[in-house]
Every structure is written in C-alpha cells, then in structure tokens.
C-alpha cells in the first residue's frame, strides 16, 4: 500500500513511519520541512490538496496536531485552525484522491467523570484541545466514508530528543531533580511502538470507524511515574504526589479518564495492545540498546 504519514516528525509519526515501512511504501511530511520530510502545513487547504493529488496515496495517517494542551487553551484560534480545519482539509483531499484516512484523537474529548470510556460513550470535552479534537472527529466522519478515528492517551516511548512523559522522567530522575505526578488523574499509558503496530494492523485489515488504542493498564499518573522511577533503579518514594488543582494548569484535565480497549483487542490478531509490564519491559530494552 502507498501510505502517507502527515506529522512524520512527531512522536507517534516517527514510529508509524518505521513500522509501516517494513510492509508498505511509506512517505511522510512535516511542518518544518526538515529532511527527510517535505513541508506540508495542514492548515493550507490548497497545499494539502495539491500534495495528495501529486502523490496519490492509497492511505493517509494524520498525526499532525497542536498537541500542547495548555497552549491550546491560550491560543484557541490556532487550535481551531490546526486541530479542526487541518483534519477537515486532509479528509477533503483524501476524498478527492479516494484515499483512506486514519485520524488520531484523544481521551480529552471526555470530561473524566465516568472513565474508562468506550468508543460509544458520549464526548463532553473540558478544554479547547479536547473540543477541537472532538470537532475534528466529526469533520473527518462527515467528509470521508473510509476513515479510522483512533483515540489514544498518554503516549510515551524511548525516543531521544523527544519531550514525552517517559523521556522527561528519565532525564529529571537521572539529574536528581524532583519528580511528581497528579494522584487524581487516571490514565492508560500507551507505548508508541505498540500503538503504531496496532494502527498498522487496523489499516491493513481494512477497519473503519472509531477505535480506542491504548495500553490496557489503568492507573493514576503518579503511580505511572513511580513505576518508571523504580524501573530506573531509584526510590519511588521520592516521587511527590499532588492534586491536579494544586498544579494550577490553564486547561482542565479529565480526571477519571481511561479508554476501554475491548473493541480493538477483539479485532487485533498480531498486535494486541500491551499491559504496563509488557510495555515498560519493551521500553527499557530499547533504552538499554541505546543508552541515554
Ligand atoms: N502524545 C500523546 O500522549 C497523545 C495523546 C492523545 C492523543 N494524541 C494525538 O496523537 C497524535 C500524535 O501525537 P504526538 O504525540 O505524535 O504529537 P507530536 O509529537 O506533538 O506531533 C505532532 C506534530 O504535528 C506537527 N504540526 C503542528 N502543526 C502542524 C501543521 N499546521 N501542519 C503540519 N504539521 C503540524 C508538529 O510540528 P511542530 O512540533 O513543529 O509544531 C508535530 O511534529 C495527535 O493528533 C494527538 O492529538 C497524542
């Protein structure tokens, strides 16, 4: 299959390009246009259309987004342009060239009063980021029949240079800097390689519609931080817990969140979603192969 990953330089995009390239003809674009990826701004409808008409991909995976939750709250117009109009542009261009589209969304479309959430639960976003991702889901579904909406959360990986939760923890712990985590946010941490592999299988087997793709273990963020610190060989009791309210964040967080993965697990045959033990074992084995 000829596959285009838009957002190839991002965390999830990096692993998607690596994984899908084993079996498909994969190319990518980035916002900065840094080698090896040409520049493509998803806010530019004409540029998106021209690019897809020239490339003629059979399938597009859209990971590009304005992902900084608190910055989205401060810049709602930019969030709207990138997170809603961008996916709409991509969906319209896919329709024109008859390509399928996998769009990445988030548990932040929910309010966190009743998690973990199934695909059929009613969204009720609390933040600009969550609202724009929910509007994007609707724009994609309204404009393109052959689509996948992938809801994921708390994605992490061993990826030097990335500022994902795991890499920040490794960096701070090794420098002896204090680490903390909210005690009242329930999450399903998701390993990026496992996410990329599961998405690949959904695309290859022609799935459509909404799928939750997340790690299968649900725990509080502070407990996740403690697990990582302990695996690094440090004392997890040094990790301070705090409440989300104490963090005074610009954007509200869904607290009792989490994603149910039964639908995806029933469909996935080769690439089941991992529990936390499996995911951390894999992540630390990657890390020991490439010491930080
Ligand atoms: N990471 C998570 O924990 C998580 C959780 C739930 C859902 N998701 C969703 O999963 C997807 C991938 O996440 P990720 O962690 O890979 O995010 P990421 O690392 O922030 O990557 C997103 C990429 O999109 C690029 N981008 C921003 N604006 C763009 C534009 N106008 N046109 C083209 N590209 C643009 C960014 O470039 P710059 O860096 O240069 O701005 C960045 O490289 C996103 O849709 C996100 O909403 C992620």
């Amino acid at each position: 299959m000829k596959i285009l990953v838009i957002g190839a330089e991002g965390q999830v995009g990096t692993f998607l390009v690596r994984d899908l390239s084993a079996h498909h003809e994969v190319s990518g674009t980035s916002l900065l246009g840094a080698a090896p990826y040409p520049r493509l701004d998803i806010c530019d409808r004409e540029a998106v259309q021209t690019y897809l008409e020239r490339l003629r991909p059979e399938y597009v995976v859209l990971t590009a987004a304005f992902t900084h939750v608190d910055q989205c709250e401060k810049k709602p117009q930019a969030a709207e342009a990138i997170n809603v109009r961008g996916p709409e542009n991509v969906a319209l261009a896919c329709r024109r060239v008859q390509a399928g589209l996998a769009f990445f969304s988030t548990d932040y479309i929910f309010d966190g009063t009743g998690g973990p959430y199934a695909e059929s639960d009613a969204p009720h976003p609390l933040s600009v980021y969550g609202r724009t991702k929910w509007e994007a889901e609707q724009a994609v579904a309204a404009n393109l029949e052959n689509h996948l909406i992938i809801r994921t959360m708390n994605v992490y990986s061993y990826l030097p240079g990335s500022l994902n939760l795991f890499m920040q923890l490794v960096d701070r712990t090794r420098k002896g800097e204090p680490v903390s985590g909210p005690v009242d946010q329930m999450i399903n941490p998701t390993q990026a390689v496992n996410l990329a592999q599961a998405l690949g299988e959904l695309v290859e087997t022609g799935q459509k519609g909404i799928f939750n793709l997340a790690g299968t273990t649900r725990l509080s963020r502070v407990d996740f931080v403690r697990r990582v610190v302990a695996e690094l060989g440090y004392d997890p009791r040094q990790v301070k817990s705090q409440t989300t309210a104490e963090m005074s964040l610009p954007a509200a967080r869904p607290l009792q969140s989490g994603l149910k993965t039964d639908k995806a697990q029933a469909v996935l045959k080769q690439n089941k979603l991992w529990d936390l033990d499996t995911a951390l074992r894999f992540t630390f084995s990657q890390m020991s192969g490439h010491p930080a």
Side-chain angles (χ1 to χ4, degrees), residues 1-287:
M1 221 189 294
K2 192 170 178 180
I3 300 177
L4 171 65
V5 178
I6 300 180
E9 82 287 30
Q11 182 186 199
V12 177
T14 298
F15 291 106
L16 277 166
V17 171
R18 277 187 208 171
D19 193 62
L20 293 169
S21 295
H23 306 286
H24 304 281
E25 182 189 337
V26 181
S27 62
T29 62
S30 71
L31 181 60
L32 295 175
Y37 302 117
R39 175 182 155 80
L40 183 63
D41 181 350
I42 57 173
C43 299
D44 184 340
R45 179 172 292 194
E46 231 176 274
V48 172
Q49 231 155 58
T50 306
Y51 197 89
L52 264 67
E53 273 167 6
R54 204 173 299 145
L55 187 72
R56 294 267 153 190
E58 293 163 85
Y59 211 94
V60 175
V61 183
L62 177 59
T63 55
F66 187 4
T67 55
H68 196 297
V69 176
D70 292 319
Q71 285 297 322
C72 283
E73 208 67 18
K74 292 178 185 166
K75 299 177 182 171
Q77 284 174 344
E80 173 89 18
I82 300 166
N83 287 349
V84 186
R85 299 283 81 81
E88 185 179 61
N89 293 341
V90 175
L92 287 168
C94 284
R95 190 167 75 189
R96 229 164 135 133
V97 301
Q98 296 185 314
L101 171 64
F103 166 69
F104 274 81
S105 189
T106 168
D107 66 307
Y108 276 45
I109 65 165
F110 297 110
D111 60 17
T113 57
Y117 293 98
E119 287 81 351
S120 53
D121 286 330
H124 181 230
L126 301 175
S127 62
V128 170
Y129 173 72
R131 175 178 58 76
T132 54
K133 296 295 283 187
W134 167 226
E135 286 176 11
E137 285 193 12
Q138 295 171 81
V140 167
N143 285 296
L144 185 71
E145 194 259 324
N146 184 10
H147 70 265
L148 271 170
I149 289 169
I150 303 299
R151 293 180 182 155
T152 189
M153 63 188 299
N154 299 93
V155 182
Y156 69 96
S157 59
Y158 175 67
L159 184 61
S162 164
L163 288 178
N164 74 62
L165 176 61
F166 179 82
M167 295 308 289
Q168 285 188 40
L169 279 175
V170 171
D171 190 47
R172 293 183 70 89
T173 306
R174 286 187 167 164
K175 284 183 182 156
E177 291 173 6
V179 280
S180 60
V183 67
D184 53 356
Q185 288 181 35
M186 294 301 290
I187 63 169
N188 288 64
T190 305
Q191 220 290 341
V193 175
N194 184 220
L195 172 63
Q197 290 172 343
L199 183 273
E201 188 173 335
L202 293 185
V203 171
E204 284 159 10
T205 55
Q207 303 298 326
K208 292 179 189 169
I210 304 174
F211 282 87
N212 291 343
L213 292 185
T216 60
T217 305
R218 182 171 180 259
L219 74 177
S220 71
R221 264 182 88 117
V222 75
D223 283 341
F224 176 68
V225 172
R226 288 191 173 124
R227 271 297 302 272
V228 173
V229 167
E231 299 281 345
L232 282 166
Y234 294 82
D235 185 354
R237 287 171 302 183
Q238 75 186 45
V239 177
K240 294 208 165 33
S241 73
Q242 53 190 156
T243 63
T244 303
E246 282 167 347
M247 296 166 77
S248 302
L249 300 165
R253 268 41 178 191
L255 297 183
Q256 288 299 316
S257 193
L259 291 170
K260 290 181 181 165
T261 49
D262 314 57
K263 181 182 174 188
Q265 291 292 60
V267 166
L268 293 167
K269 303 293 174 224
Q270 313 291 333
N271 300 284
K272 296 275 183 201
L273 296 163
W274 292 340
D275 62 19
L276 188 61
D277 290 343
T278 308
L280 286 179
R281 216 169 25 246
F282 176 85
T283 310
F284 278 91
S285 74
Q286 291 256 301
M287 198 164 109

